[in-house]
């Protein structure tokens, strides 16, 4: 069995770590690229959203490298994602890429439901080993997130343009390469050192932007046209409403790890704008936006794949929330188009707006 | 005379203005880009150079529009800024106290909300270009009327027909249906204007508070039918400033004045730019499966800029004096 799974930003680092730990043979698909997208768009239904097309492309490319089994997340509720595993499997069969499919449905009550699934693919491994593997993967997810957070902080303040990107690449590489817990502890230390070595202008005034929206396009730089990097280069410090480890804790561990931002809290903040689940991360988008506004952020950017229903619901609520809190908000819809000029213009104008607004506000109070 | 140049390279038109140090526009040139931004800017500069009195000194140059980065390196711009900021800066200068700017250009349309002279909100059309100048152009061509007389004809409508404005494809099939039913051309054109205004307000102006003074600019503001349709829908007077079709360039010139005051002498290469040899080439990088199209710009044989690569491998090789934002 040679297992593959879809890309979503740096998700491959913890997933590969977990599967390696279990002794499962893993084929990581080549990083999502124009080729991945072309393949996905060619075989995927035209109406499906961008994440599905990229998943499909990832699987086709992984099969070329010898993968024969797919691990895919499931889901339920109004978002179409829950159905993608089955659809993708059928499409692959139709085009002659017959692959075995294993769907990780989100646990209903306890995360042990998922452990049972993981144990199935690991064959003869003991429960203890399964739990250790999940823990190892999770620790990598935390480490990856820490590197990303450090990059988001240093990028707008870096003295040499591009130095954050170089450091981030190097740090992630170290974390990826660690193959045992002791190696990982060492790698985390080194990665932290690399990130703090990026020369920054400490007192540079920067605007702070909260990025909210649909999880896939939020976590996957290829699909959001490298949004965070672009904003950083324009001089904005970015905070993302969902990080990988938080998502894992909320949806897989059912909130086992305490002391992190949690889904429950976020959704609570969405009251009174959106009181109930609308599928995907629609409610979280509104809740996170409110939280960002309350903690003094200068602006909000919502990212969503074209035709994403839950986020369309959130999009229509955002203007009211934005007016109530006096925080500018912008929506960025991503799809197959790769023309960067339009995105860049909007981002640049948005950062300009926030900067000018901040300047006037500060002039008033100083 | 001393002054500033503003260059706005859009998808459909390229505009160049020259303003004096006080911000008064002296010359404005409006050209069609015709898919050749560099040649068009060179042509424009040649024309402008001929029109300006001898001894004119250019103290600063600003570039804006979707071709701003390209033209910025070609002419040596001091300020390279997006269209939203440029438009807002220009309009605030021309119509002090403006609170709403409606702008419809060739490929995009935007709304800019200003409060107390500062941009407080803006939006641009997202995934569809229905309702922009290109669509009007295309429909005028289909009906065999010139775009210049479009508005005049629309004003003669007795009862504008209802046309779906949400999607250009739906709009066109509606128009054809009405035309085959025998509706008059004037009624159809006025109906189209109303449909585009509805679409613009729903799609771009979504939920924004539109307060007077309202300024309408961009190439489409030349169309009196559109002005009338906006006034009817908003119930507010809509002002079209002089130089409405070159406001982006006016803003770029104003921004260059700010930039030069901040950073010192201009990087403008002079009007000789129009006689220089610029070549652009592109190649597909085979470093990874992204296969980025890397664009290379050469001035008299020397590479002056590269872009298009996602990883920065090619663009970082060329040292640029000022990072283009």
């Amino acid at each position: 069995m040679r297992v593959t799974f879809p890309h979503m930003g740096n998700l491959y680092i913890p997933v590969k770590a977990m599967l390696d730990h279990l002794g499962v043979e893993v084929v990581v698909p080549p990083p999502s690229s124009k080729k991945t997208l072309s393949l996905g768009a060619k075989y995927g239904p035209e109406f499906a959203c961008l994440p599905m097309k990229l998943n499909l492309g990832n699987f086709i490319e992984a099969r070329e490298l010898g993968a024969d089994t797919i691990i895919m997340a499931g889901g339920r509720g109004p978002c179409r994602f829950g159905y993608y595993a089955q659809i993708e499997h059928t499409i692959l069969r139709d085009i002659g890429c017959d692959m075995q499919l294993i769907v990780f449905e989100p646990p209903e009550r306890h995360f042990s439901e998922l452990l049972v699934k993981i144990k199935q693919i690991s064959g003869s491994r003991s429960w203890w080993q399964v739990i250790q593997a999940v823990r190892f993967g999770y620790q990598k997810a935390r480490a990856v997130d820490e590197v990303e957070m450090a990059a988001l902080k240093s990028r707008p303040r870096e003295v040499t343009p591009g130095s954050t990107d170089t450091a981030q690449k190097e740090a992630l590489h170290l974390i990826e390469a660690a193959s045992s817990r002791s190696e990982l502890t060492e790698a985390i230390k080194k990665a932290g050192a690399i990130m703090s070595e990026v020369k920054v202008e400490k007192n540079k005034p920067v605007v702070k932007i909260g990025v909210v929206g649909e999880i896939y396009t939020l976590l996957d730089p290829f699909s959001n046209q490298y949004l965070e990097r672009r904003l950083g280069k324009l001089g904005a410090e970015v905070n993302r409403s969902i990080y990988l480890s938080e998502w894992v804790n909320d949806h897989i561990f059912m909130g086992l790890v305490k002391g992190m931002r949690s889904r429950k809290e976020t959704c609570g903040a969405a009251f009174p704008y959106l009181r109930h689940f609308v599928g995907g991360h629609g409610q979280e988008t509104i809740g996170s936006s409110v939280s960002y506004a309350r903690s003094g952020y200068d602006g909000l950017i919502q990212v969503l794949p074209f035709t994403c229903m839950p986020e369309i619901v959130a999009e229509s609520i955002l203007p009211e929330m934005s007016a109530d809190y006096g925080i500018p908000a912008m929506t960025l819809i991503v799809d197959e188009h790769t023309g960067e000029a339009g995105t860049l213009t909007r981002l640049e104008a948005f950062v300009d707006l926030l900067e000018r607004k901040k300047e006037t506000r500060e002039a008033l109070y100083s | 005379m001393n002054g500033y140049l503003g260059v706005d390279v859009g998808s459909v038109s390229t505009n160049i203005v020259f303003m004096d140090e006080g911000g008064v526009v002296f010359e404005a040139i409006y050209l069609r880009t015709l898919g050749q931004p560099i040649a068009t800017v060179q042509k424009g500069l040649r024309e402008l150079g001929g029109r300006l009195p001898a001894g004119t000194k250019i103290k600063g140059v600003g570039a804006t529009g979707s071709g701003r980065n390209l033209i910025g390196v070609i002419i040596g711009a001091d300020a390279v800024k997006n269209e939203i900021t440029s438009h807002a800066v220009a309009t605030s200068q021309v119509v002090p106290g403006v609170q709403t700017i409606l702008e419809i250009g060739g490929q995009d349309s935007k709304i800019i909300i200003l409060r107390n002279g500062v941009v407080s909100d803006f939006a641009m059309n997202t995934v569809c270009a229905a309702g922009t100048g290109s669509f009007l152009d295309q429909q005028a061509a289909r009906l065999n009327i010139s775009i210049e007389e479009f508005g005049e004809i629309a004003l003669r409508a007795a009862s504008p027909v209802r046309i779906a404005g949400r999607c250009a494809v739906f709009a066109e099939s509606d128009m054809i249906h009405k035309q085959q039913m025998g509706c008059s051309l004037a009624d159809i054109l006025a109906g189209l204007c109303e449909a585009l205004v509805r679409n613009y307000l729903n799609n771009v102006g979504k939920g924004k508070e539109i307060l007077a003074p309202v300024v309408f600019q961009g190439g489409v503001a030349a169309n009196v039918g559109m002005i009338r349709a906006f006034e009817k829908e908003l119930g507010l007077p809509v002002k079209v400033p002089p130089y409405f079709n070159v406001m982006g360039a006016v803003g770029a010139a104003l921004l260059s004045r700010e930039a030069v005051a901040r950073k010192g002498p201009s990087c403008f290469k002079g009007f000789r730019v129009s006689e220089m040899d610029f070549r652009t080439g592109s190649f597909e990088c085979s470093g990874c499966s992204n296969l980025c199209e890397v664009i290379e710009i050469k001035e008299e044989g020397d590479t002056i800029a590269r872009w298009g690569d996602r990883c920065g491998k090619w663009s970082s090789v060329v040292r640029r004096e000022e990072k283009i934002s």
Side-chain angles (χ1 to χ4, degrees):
Chain A
M1 186 166 68
R2 306 189 63 185
V3 175
T4 191
F5 53 87
H7 271 298
M8 179 166 79
N10 289 317
L11 173 74
Y12 74 96
I13 297 177
V15 174
K16 181 173 186 297
M18 182 187 86
L19 295 172
D20 278 344
H21 209 90
L22 287 171
V24 178
E25 204 178 338
V26 187
V27 179
V28 178
S32 291
S33 67
K34 245 179 4 193
K35 186 184 162 208
T36 318
L37 186 54
S38 316
L39 284 169
K42 182 173 172 192
Y43 297 114
E46 188 263 338
F47 256 70
C49 64
L50 183 67
M52 191 231 190
K53 293 176 187 174
L54 286 171
N55 289 170
L56 200 54
N58 287 151
F59 297 151
I60 297 173
E61 284 184 301
R63 190 184 145 93
E64 283 166 14
L65 298 178
D68 57 22
T69 305
I70 293 168
I71 297 183
M72 176 69 185
R76 56 190 128 78
C79 166
R80 289 177 282 177
F81 183 81
Y83 193 41
Y84 281 176
Q86 277 73 23
I87 285 281
E88 286 159 1
H89 190 221
T90 312
I91 294 173
L92 288 170
R93 205 179 48 212
D94 287 351
I95 60 172
C97 298
D98 219 347
M99 291 164 95
Q100 203 196 325
L101 173 73
I102 298 170
V103 186
F104 283 6
E105 291 294 345
E108 296 266 348
R109 279 197 192 82
H110 194 261
F111 108 98
S112 56
E113 294 164 40
L114 194 79
L115 286 181
V116 176
K117 262 266 151 62
I118 298 173
K119 193 167 184 313
Q120 273 171 14
I121 54 167
S122 67
S124 57
R125 303 281 156 162
S126 70
W127 281 107
W128 170 248
Q129 280 167 317
V130 170
I131 292 173
Q132 286 307 309
V134 173
R135 259 183 82 173
F136 186 57
Y138 180 70
Q139 279 165 339
K140 278 207 178 182
R142 284 292 285 264
V144 167
D145 285 347
E146 265 160 36
V147 170
E148 289 194 346
M149 286 180 206
L152 293 176
K153 268 209 151 43
S154 71
R155 198 173 284 117
R157 301 179 173 91
E158 64 188 10
V159 176
T160 323
S163 52
T164 305
D165 291 350
T166 319
Q168 186 184 11
K169 221 171 167 179
E170 203 183 326
L172 288 178
H173 186 75
L174 282 175
I175 291 169
E176 192 190 339
S179 61
S180 68
R181 285 183 64 183
S182 58
E183 273 181 47
L184 182 59
T185 319
E186 197 54 35
I188 291 173
K189 254 192 222 146
K190 270 194 201 153
I194 291 171
M195 292 313 291
S196 57
E197 267 163 29
V198 176
K199 278 212 184 74
V200 292
E201 210 181 309
K202 278 221 173 75
N203 299 322
K204 189 180 168 190
V206 296
V207 291
K208 286 170 81 179
I209 297 178
V211 181
V212 299
E214 188 275 331
I215 181 164
Y216 185 93
T217 48
L218 210 54
L219 293 185
D220 192 66
F222 176 79
S223 68
N224 64 30
Q225 302 194 348
Y226 307 93
L227 175 70
E228 291 172 354
R229 203 160 85 192
R230 282 176 204 275
L231 285 172
K233 291 197 168 155
L234 288 169
E237 184 183 323
V238 177
N239 192 299
R240 198 196 293 152
S241 62
I242 312 170
Y243 288 90
L244 199 55
S245 52
E246 291 171 343
W247 181 82
V248 171
N249 186 35
D250 268 331
H251 295 262
I252 311 228
F253 296 171
M254 312 297 280
L256 214 60
V257 183
K258 302 293 171 210
M260 296 178 87
R261 284 191 301 195
S262 76
R263 190 181 167 267
K264 221 170 133 189
E265 247 171 75
T266 309
C267 291
F271 188 86
Y273 298 103
L274 185 54
R275 299 169 202 224
H276 55 86
F277 181 64
V278 290
H281 289 80
Q283 201 182 6
E284 281 94 328
T285 294
I286 298 299
S288 305
S289 301
V290 171
S291 307
Y292 282 130
R294 284 188 188 145
S295 35
Y297 273 70
D298 299 298
L300 298 167
I301 293 181
Q302 183 201 15
V303 202
L304 60 127
F306 190 39
T307 73
C308 173
M309 190 278 294
E311 292 299 327
I312 290 172
V313 174
E315 187 192 354
S316 59
I317 297 171
L318 215 50
E320 195 190 328
M321 177 262 141
S322 144
D324 286 353
Y325 284 91
I327 182 168
M330 186 178 85
T331 298
L332 195 68
I333 301 176
V334 296
D335 197 54
E336 269 176 66
H337 55 289
T338 48
E340 297 173 353
T343 313
L344 201 55
T345 296
R346 287 163 177 81
L347 296 181
E348 196 188 304
F350 190 66
V351 173
D352 265 2
L353 177 170
L354 300 182
E355 274 170 358
R356 292 208 176 211
K357 204 176 157 197
K358 196 173 178 139
E359 275 166 28
T360 14
R361 201 176 48 220
E362 276 162 10
L364 273 178
Y365 292 113
S366 62
Chain B
M1 186 167 51
N2 293 345
Y4 299 88
L5 276 187
V7 184
D8 179 354
V9 185
S11 58
V12 175
S13 72
T14 293
N15 318 315
I16 305 179
V17 300
F18 172 80
M19 64 165 61
D20 70 3
E21 287 177 289
V24 179
V25 178
F26 258 77
E27 293 288 349
I29 292 176
Y30 183 94
L31 296 167
R32 295 231 156 197
T33 309
L34 302 172
Q36 299 178 10
I38 300 177
T40 310
V41 168
Q42 287 182 312
K43 185 177 160 211
L45 284 179
R46 198 173 305 131
E47 203 180 318
L48 186 70
R51 279 203 222 164
L52 292 174
T56 303
K57 195 166 174 260
I58 304 296
K59 296 191 70 184
V61 181
T64 186
S66 45
R68 62 185 180 279
N69 286 335
L70 175 65
I71 295 309
V73 296
I74 298 273
I75 58 177
D78 303 296
V80 177
K81 266 285 171 215
N82 63 81
E83 304 90 290
I84 308 268
T85 309
S86 301
H87 277 281
V89 165
T91 316
S92 313
Q93 163 106 359
V94 181
V95 186
V98 58
Q99 299 212 78
T100 310
I101 303 172
L102 315 170
E103 205 266 349
I104 306 185
Q107 279 270 309
D108 58 34
S109 47
K110 38 191 163 291
I111 185 166
I112 307 173
I113 306 287
L114 294 101
R115 295 292 180 263
N116 306 315
V118 180
V119 177
S120 75
D121 198 2
F122 72 88
M124 281 177 89
N125 56 334
T126 47
V127 285
C128 168
T132 58
S134 301
F135 181 57
L136 288 176
D137 252 3
Q138 186 197 334
Q139 290 310 313
R142 191 177 65 80
L143 297 165
N144 200 22
I145 54 171
S146 75
I147 189 72
E148 287 77 16
E149 51 183 353
F150 188 117
E152 292 296 335
I153 300 176
L155 283 191
R156 295 202 289 265
S159 61
V161 297
R162 177 150 182 113
I163 289 168
R166 188 165 179 259
C167 161
V169 177
F170 294 168
E172 181 161 348
S173 63
D174 253 13
M175 283 172 71
I176 292 174
H177 170 69
K178 300 277 150 91
Q179 143 206 329
Q180 309 299 49
M181 270 181 18
C183 295
S184 78
L185 182 62
D187 285 347
I188 294 176
L189 292 184
L192 180 61
C193 291
E194 288 181 3
L196 295 194
V197 164
R198 261 197 324 270
N199 178 44
Y200 173 91
L201 293 174
N202 285 336
N203 185 8
V204 184
K206 213 181 319 195
K208 305 212 185 304
E209 194 185 20
I210 296 178
L211 298 178
V214 179
V215 172
F216 179 27
Q217 60 198 41
V220 174
N223 187 323
V224 282
M226 288 294 287
I227 303 173
R228 171 72 59 84
F230 265 120
E231 288 186 325
K232 192 169 153 191
E233 188 70 33
L234 292 174
L236 291 169
V238 170
K239 223 178 195 165
V240 176
Y243 305 112
F244 63 89
N245 58 350
V246 295
M247 290 301 267
V250 172
L254 288 166
L255 285 165
S256 79
R257 190 171 68 178
E258 269 179 38
V260 172
R262 203 171 49 233
K263 74 169 180 85
S266 174
C267 326
F268 182 46
K269 294 183 189 166
F271 285 101
R272 66 191 170 90
V273 163
S274 57
E275 310 309 328
M276 285 202 285
D277 176 42
F278 289 100
R279 271 162 216 254
T280 57
S282 66
F283 58 89
E284 205 174 65
C285 170
S286 52
C288 75
S289 53
N290 270 321
L291 306 175
C292 296
E293 265 163 54
V294 182
I295 317 287
E296 208 169 32
I297 293 126
K298 288 192 173 177
E299 174 186 316
E300 308 282 343
D302 297 331
T303 304
I304 52 169
R306 280 203 201 105
W307 52 65
D309 49 341
R310 289 178 175 80
C311 64
K313 169 166 137 188
W314 298 99
S315 48
S316 57
V317 178
V318 187
R319 198 173 55 90
R320 270 178 275 166
E321 282 171 8
E322 202 193 2
K323 215 183 93 201
I324 288 173
S325 51

